[in-house]
Structures are given as C-alpha cells and as structure tokens.
Amino acid sequence: MKRLLKYFLFVLFLPLWWIQIFIPRKNNIWIFGAWYGYRFSDNSRYLFEYVNTHHNEIKAIWLTRNIGIRDEIRESGGVSYLTNSMVAIYYSLLAKYVLVSSGKKDVNFLFINGAKKIQLWHGSPLKKIGLDDIYSNANSFFQKKIVANLFPFGYEYNYNYTLSNAPIFTDKMGSSFNLNKSRVWETGCPRNDIFYSKNIDPFNLSLREKYPNCKLVYYLPTFRSFHGAKSLFTLKDFDRNSIEMFLEDQNIVFVSKGHFVDNTLIREDHHANSRIIDLKDKDVSEINFMLKDADLLITDYSSAYFDFLLTERPIIFAAFDLKEYLMDSREMYFNYQDAVAGPIVKNWEELMSALRTIWKDDKYKTLIKAKNVVYNKYHDPYNSKRVYQAIKLLTQ
C-alpha cells in the first residue's frame, strides 16, 4: 500500500516535473549534496569547497537534511539549505548543475528537471556498482522499464556525466551509469586532493602523542549486502586480550571504522588505553582526511584501497569471506587476487603475521608503486580543478 501511494503521488506530480524544463537555468548556480542528504563528505564536499575557495562567480549551494550540517557550512562561510525548504526548491529549479556522490536523493530530486546531473560517485569501483551489479534492483523490469520511462525523477541511471579516476575505470563507470565513454570524465576524484594536504587530523595527532612512534593502522571494511555486518571483529579467533598484547608489543594503534551504511563493528566498551579504537560515524567528518596520515591500511573490498595507493604505504587485505561475498553481495570488476597490492589474510593469526613483516617487504613496495600508476591517473591535488574545468566547458 505504501508503495502504491508513493507512485500515485508521483503520477500527480508528473505535470510539475515536465513544466520544469521551461524554466531558464543559470550557469552560475550549482547544487551539491552527498549520502542522501545526511553527510557533508566525499567528492561533492571537496568540489564544493574548491568552488567556494577559488570561484566566487559560482553560487555553490549545499543541500542537506541535517540541521547541524547546514549550520556548520554556514558558519564556515558557505551557503546551505535544508533539502525540502522553499529556498532549496527555488535554487534547485534555477541551478544548471547538480552534483551528487551517491544518488539524486543527495539533493531534492523532484526539482532538477532540465539541470545537468553529474554523478561524482564515492570512489573507484573494485566491486560492481549500478547497472553492472546483478544483485541490484536497478536491473529489475520495474526499475528499467516502468520507473525509467514513467517516473524519470525516481530513476537513478539517467545522469548526464560521471567521473573516472583512471582509464582502467572509464568503461566501468560508463556501463554502471548507462553513459557512453564521452560522458565519463577522466579527471580523478576530488576527494583524493586531500592526500596532498599538509594538515593533520587532530585525532591522529592525539594518538601519536599518546603512543609515541606508533604505527597507525586504519581498518576500513566495506558493507555486506546480506547476512548482516561482518568484520575482523566477528571472526572466531578474535581474542581482544591477546590482540591488545600483540598491538602493544608491536607499538600499533588499530583504528576501525565501518562503512556508513553498515557501521556495526565493535560496540563493547573498552578501557581508556585500549589500542583498538572504534570510530563511530559521529567521530568522522571526512575519512580520507584521517586516512591520508595512516601508516597502513587494512581493508577487504573497499574503494579506499585505490585512494590509499596514493600514499604508497603498506596495505593488507582482510578478505576472510571472499567466496561468500562474491556469491551473495557483489561481483567484482577485477580478479581479486590480481587486483590487490598486499597480502590477503583470512584470520587474526595471518593478520598479525603480516603486521610483523610487511613494513620492510620490498615485494609489496614494488607492487604498490605499480598498482598506483594503473589505478590513479593523477598524482596531484588538482582533481577538483579538473572537474570544475570540465563543467565550465559545458557552458561555452
């Protein structure tokens, strides 16, 4: 009944949707959003901040469903409105460009007909995304035939442009978002500009002060589509006391952060001097800003792998459920064993062994450098600038 009611209201909305194409849109008004309106993060954020800093001829507007984010942006001198407010709708109707990192619901998707919609996405894909993902309901008859043709405002795969971080991803980004290659810009991802910043996150600074000369290890697992949250902390051989002793012996601080969509890693209280630190969503403004100063990354199937390659520091792959993940959650664009640039571990014993030796392993140092060239076309802080320039070419 709820679904029927939604589409009944959509039918009533259709005349207003089509009338929008007659409203003149302004090249200097750009609308931004991310993560369905609930986060100020990712490629959208970095491009938004770049435009605000370097191009005051553009009226950059961040739409959000979070009052705290709106106030934070305003306090820093930016322009932000609540997604469903009248002023947000007004600017949505006038904006020539709409820039999102997850989907059109990052902004007000009902009032952007006639705007150029640019999907910045949130990283380079290791696992299949969008229309390439056979498990996604985006490939259902209802979505591809009914929604796409009758309710285009509710369909996710009618963007005008998207981004690629390197030639190896261009065809994949095109097929996943139903775009030909000419509409995939090989600009690099704006969020990777931060890897060249000299600023250090205060949280990382505090850890290095508390644990002098420590090795700062970040664990960033991706979410699973089925069977609930899984991570290193759900494995049978996870013994907190013995692992804490290992971390102390190796002078390692282990910082874990689950995916925004599936962040249920550790929920037990632990003592103040624990070397296993569980970051919640509220603790993290922008993960790449924190990640760039880590000494090592542990992940499984996350696109954070491609970002972290820019540092050319060690990476360990905790792919303890690879076979299950491929069967139940996502297929991948690459053969996993060939794509990664570090040891693959399946339990804590293997992980601890890798953490003892990887720092001086020349084999992986060489492999990381080679993969960095393949998966990152650019090694500079100018990705946002390139995206801006690509958009400006559309106005000429």
Side-chain angles (χ1 to χ4, degrees):
M1 283 298 296
K2 187 176 181 180
R3 192 179 190 188
L4 287 174
L5 177 61
K6 180 177 78 171
Y7 284 101
F8 174 72
L9 294 175
F10 278 178
V11 169
L12 297 180
F13 178 75
L14 277 171
L16 184 55
W17 171 256
W18 291 113
I19 287 172
Q20 293 176 36
I21 63 175
F22 299 105
I23 299 174
R25 291 182 174 268
K26 298 185 178 182
N27 284 324
N28 68 329
I29 300 179
W30 298 10
I31 296 292
F32 296 78
W35 287 106
Y36 317 110
Y38 293 107
R39 293 180 69 81
F40 181 44
S41 66
D42 238 297
N43 286 320
S44 301
R45 172 178 179 165
Y46 286 106
L47 185 60
F48 175 76
E49 292 179 335
Y50 170 82
V51 171
N52 275 332
T53 301
H54 299 285
H55 296 283
N56 57 16
E57 76 277 11
I58 302 298
K59 188 175 184 65
I61 302 169
W62 188 275
L63 299 189
T64 180
R65 303 175 194 277
N66 185 304
I67 292 175
I69 290 174
R70 181 201 64 183
D71 294 344
E72 173 191 344
I73 293 171
R74 289 180 175 181
E75 288 170 6
S76 65
V79 179
S80 180
Y81 302 108
L82 294 179
T83 305
N84 294 318
S85 65
M86 291 304 297
V87 67
I89 292 172
Y90 170 76
Y91 280 117
S92 296
L93 290 168
L94 291 181
K96 183 69 173 181
Y97 301 103
V98 174
L99 302 111
V100 299
S101 290
S102 293
K104 286 183 286 184
K105 289 184 180 179
D106 292 359
V107 294
N108 194 317
F109 70 103
L110 295 173
F111 297 97
I112 57 175
N113 193 16
K116 298 293 184 184
K117 299 176 288 293
I118 302 170
Q119 173 57 272
L120 304 175
W121 200 234
H122 44 274
S124 301
L126 175 60
K127 49 193 180 290
K128 291 187 176 181
I129 61 172
L131 295 175
D132 292 340
D133 177 12
I134 63 171
Y135 298 107
S136 172
N137 65 2
N139 286 304
S140 67
F141 175 84
F142 181 75
Q143 284 291 322
K144 296 185 78 169
K145 300 299 182 182
I146 305 301
V147 176
N149 293 303
L150 297 183
F151 308 107
F153 46 85
Y155 187 62
E156 271 301 320
Y157 299 95
N158 50 13
Y159 292 97
N160 299 101
Y161 301 93
T162 190
L163 307 184
S164 170
N165 211 40
I168 196 171
F169 297 116
T170 299
D171 289 342
K172 299 167 180 59
M173 294 302 294
S175 61
S176 63
F177 287 106
N178 194 30
L179 293 168
N180 64 48
K181 192 172 182 178
S182 66
R183 290 180 174 268
V184 182
W185 298 334
E186 286 182 7
T187 56
C189 294
R191 75 180 192 175
N192 286 347
D193 291 346
I194 199 64
F195 280 91
Y196 297 90
S197 170
K198 294 181 180 179
N199 296 325
I200 300 177
D201 184 84
F203 173 75
N204 289 342
L205 278 174
S206 68
L207 289 179
R208 294 195 185 279
E209 290 173 358
K210 185 174 182 179
Y211 303 100
N213 302 313
C214 70
K215 297 181 181 72
L216 185 57
V217 172
Y218 267 71
Y219 173 45
L220 303 179
T222 195
F223 73 97
R224 273 70 174 164
S225 299
F226 301 98
H227 307 307
K230 290 187 177 181
S231 76
L232 286 168
F233 301 104
T234 64
L235 296 182
K236 292 181 179 179
D237 68 335
F238 172 59
D239 180 270
R240 187 178 201 108
N241 291 332
S242 63
I243 292 167
E244 289 275 12
M245 291 174 61
F246 166 79
L247 296 176
E248 184 174 0
D249 177 68
Q250 298 292 314
N251 197 14
I252 292 172
V253 178
F254 195 102
V255 180
S256 73
K257 170 64 177 72
H259 191 280
F260 169 61
V261 176
D262 184 18
N263 186 20
T264 53
L265 291 183
I266 314 173
R267 286 298 174 266
E268 61 189 74
D269 293 331
H270 48 274
H271 60 81
N273 291 319
S274 172
R275 286 176 177 258
I276 300 175
I277 300 171
D278 179 30
L279 288 179
K280 315 295 192 298
D281 291 326
K282 64 181 178 60
D283 302 322
V284 179
S285 175
E286 183 54 56
I287 191 61
N288 273 8
F289 181 55
M290 305 176 78
L291 181 62
K292 73 180 183 66
D293 296 307
D295 296 306
L296 181 146
L297 170 67
I298 301 172
T299 188
D300 40 29
Y301 322 116
S302 171
S303 63
Y305 158 47
F306 299 121
D307 298 349
F308 194 72
L309 278 173
L310 290 166
T311 69
E312 296 191 347
R313 297 183 199 127
I315 306 170
I316 296 174
F317 296 86
F320 55 85
D321 61 343
L322 177 59
K323 184 176 180 181
E324 178 184 6
Y325 187 86
L326 291 173
M327 289 191 301
D328 292 342
S329 288
R330 297 282 188 93
E331 293 181 316
M332 294 191 186
Y333 286 113
F334 311 99
N335 178 280
Y336 187 78
Q337 287 82 358
D338 295 336
V340 300
I344 299 173
V345 301
K346 297 182 179 180
N347 51 52
W348 279 97
E349 181 181 359
E350 293 179 3
L351 174 59
M352 289 187 287
S353 176
L355 284 172
R356 288 188 182 97
T357 61
I358 194 171
W359 311 100
K360 297 181 180 180
D361 194 320
D362 290 336
K363 175 182 69 173
Y364 290 123
K365 288 180 181 179
T366 301
L367 186 56
I368 283 171
K369 289 179 182 293
K371 295 296 186 183
N372 190 18
V373 172
V374 172
Y375 294 129
N376 291 298
K377 180 176 181 179
Y378 301 102
H379 304 88
D380 61 40
Y382 305 119
N383 297 319
S384 294
K385 181 178 181 179
R386 283 185 284 269
V387 177
Y388 167 82
Q389 291 172 335
I391 296 173
K392 289 298 288 183
L393 285 175
L394 300 177
T395 68
Q396 297 176 2

